[in-house]
Amino acid sequence: MTKTMTREAPAGPCPDQERTSASGPARRPGSRPSVLLSRAGVTAMLGLAALYTLLPMLWLLLSSTKSRQDLFATNGFAPGKDFALGDNLKHLFQVDDGIFLRWLLNTVLYAGVGSLLATVFSVAAGYAFDKLDFPGKERLFSFVLLGVMVPGTAMAIPLYLIAAKAGLVNTFWGVFLPGLVFPFGVYLARVFSASYIPGEVLEAARVDGAGEFRTFCRIALPMIAPGFVTIFLFQFTQIWNSFFLPLVMLSDQDLFPVNLGLYVWYSSALSQGHPQDYLLAIVGSLVSVIPLIILFLMLQRFWKSGMTAGAVK
């Protein structure tokens, strides 16, 4: 007795499956794509963020071109009757025997020299944490990460007490020396060292007889140049915008950074009723932003490559 075997033909794909394979996962009936996650929604959110960022700068630029009378008599985003930017800049650099220029030079020293030295120390420390073996390395790096989590304003009072013991209060060094310590830069330098510097290259240099210091200066440092620039920009911006530490540490106006000097003018305009100081604070704020913009434009190529390190293999 023979048993007839029948084979059923495979069922064809259902319409839902065809739609799934052609255009991705099928959506549930009645569901709609999120408006915020659509291309138009993302573009709108980015446009609002850009507008929020640029509006204060636009107000600052327009207000700096007005005379003192137009500043209080016109809308903040409307141009004044007279274009007084040249006169405002002339008055800014002449008031109090050119005190603003001194504040600007102080800030260049605090931020420029301080961030350069801080970057060198951070890159050297990050390289050592990544490529060298020494006792207690990971424990020490844990303290570095702890320093990253502590905000700078919380350290201002302890730094003031230490500076008072060392006799550095109301001196240049009282503001300059704390800027040389940058825990976040050490963390970034370790990440950049792991991404940019192959261990085989260092081993080849050691085999050729190069010492650790020469290997770092001649081989590792050029290879980590994008990370060096990125760390420098972070620390430069942080020191340039520093306010609370100089406020606590300094009382001599000749040592003020530009942020603290602008705050003095603004406070004078509010508390003592000096409207000319209010205009000085506005024009000085515009001038103080220009060095940051120039620096970012000059180092933009290195900064972009450093920020995208590790994004593409």
Side-chain angles (χ1 to χ4, degrees):
M1 181 176 180
T2 60
K3 187 176 181 180
T4 304
M5 302 292 295
T6 60
R7 179 179 299 175
E8 295 181 359
C14 63
D16 289 340
Q17 291 176 340
E18 290 179 354
R19 185 167 60 250
T20 300
S21 60
S23 59
R27 292 192 294 267
R28 290 178 297 178
S31 64
R32 294 182 180 179
S34 175
V35 177
L36 293 178
L37 297 181
S38 64
R39 179 176 299 180
V42 173
T43 304
M45 288 190 293
L46 292 177
L48 288 176
L51 188 64
Y52 177 79
T53 304
L54 295 177
L55 276 181
M57 191 64 189
L58 178 61
W59 180 90
L60 185 65
L61 182 60
L62 291 175
S63 299
S64 300
T65 62
K66 300 177 182 180
S67 63
R68 189 175 63 186
Q69 292 78 13
D70 291 341
L71 181 64
F72 297 99
T74 60
N75 184 277
F77 293 99
K81 298 178 181 179
D82 299 321
F83 188 80
L85 180 60
D87 295 335
N88 292 337
L89 290 174
K90 183 179 179 180
H91 180 58
L92 175 69
F93 288 102
Q94 289 180 350
V95 67
D96 294 337
D97 297 327
I99 189 66
F100 179 79
L101 183 60
R102 185 176 183 85
W103 293 341
L104 206 58
L105 293 177
N106 290 340
T107 311
V108 170
L109 288 177
Y110 292 139
V113 181
S115 58
L116 181 61
L117 293 177
T119 304
V120 172
F121 297 153
S122 298
V123 170
Y127 170 83
F129 279 120
D130 178 50
K131 301 300 182 185
L132 303 182
D133 292 325
F134 52 89
K137 180 175 74 171
E138 295 303 326
R139 291 186 178 181
L140 288 175
F141 191 70
S142 299
F143 282 107
V144 173
L145 295 180
L146 183 63
V148 174
M149 293 183 289
V150 177
T153 53
M155 299 298 296
I157 301 302
L159 287 173
Y160 173 81
L161 297 177
I162 295 174
K165 291 289 185 180
L168 299 178
V169 174
N170 200 29
T171 64
F172 170 84
W173 302 105
V175 177
F176 180 79
L177 291 179
L180 302 182
V181 181
F182 190 28
F184 183 63
V186 177
Y187 166 75
L188 284 181
R190 184 173 184 176
V191 174
F192 282 118
S193 176
S195 302
Y196 279 94
I197 306 175
E200 295 80 3
V201 177
L202 302 180
E203 290 297 330
R206 295 186 183 107
V207 170
D208 290 341
E212 291 296 339
F213 183 75
R214 185 178 181 183
T215 301
F216 171 73
C217 294
R218 295 293 184 89
I219 297 177
L221 198 56
M223 296 177 73
I224 205 174
F228 187 96
V229 174
T230 303
I231 296 171
F232 172 80
L233 285 176
F234 272 116
Q235 182 65 348
F236 184 90
T237 306
Q238 177 175 309
I239 298 178
W240 190 276
N241 295 328
S242 177
F243 171 76
F244 193 62
L245 179 63
L247 177 65
V248 173
M249 198 73 67
L250 300 176
S251 58
D252 185 1
Q253 288 197 6
D254 290 338
L255 298 174
F256 281 3
V258 66
N259 282 344
L260 187 55
L262 294 176
Y263 171 75
V264 170
W265 279 343
Y266 181 72
S267 301
S268 174
L270 292 182
S271 60
Q272 301 179 17
H274 295 161
Q276 66 275 11
D277 289 344
Y278 188 73
L279 184 59
L280 285 174
I282 292 176
V283 181
S285 298
L286 178 65
V287 175
S288 66
V289 173
I290 293 176
L292 287 175
I293 297 175
I294 294 175
L295 187 65
F296 269 85
L297 292 177
M298 290 174 57
L299 302 178
Q300 186 178 21
R301 177 169 59 92
F302 299 98
W303 177 65
K304 282 185 176 180
S305 60
M307 290 299 292
T308 56
V312 180
K313 266 295 189 182

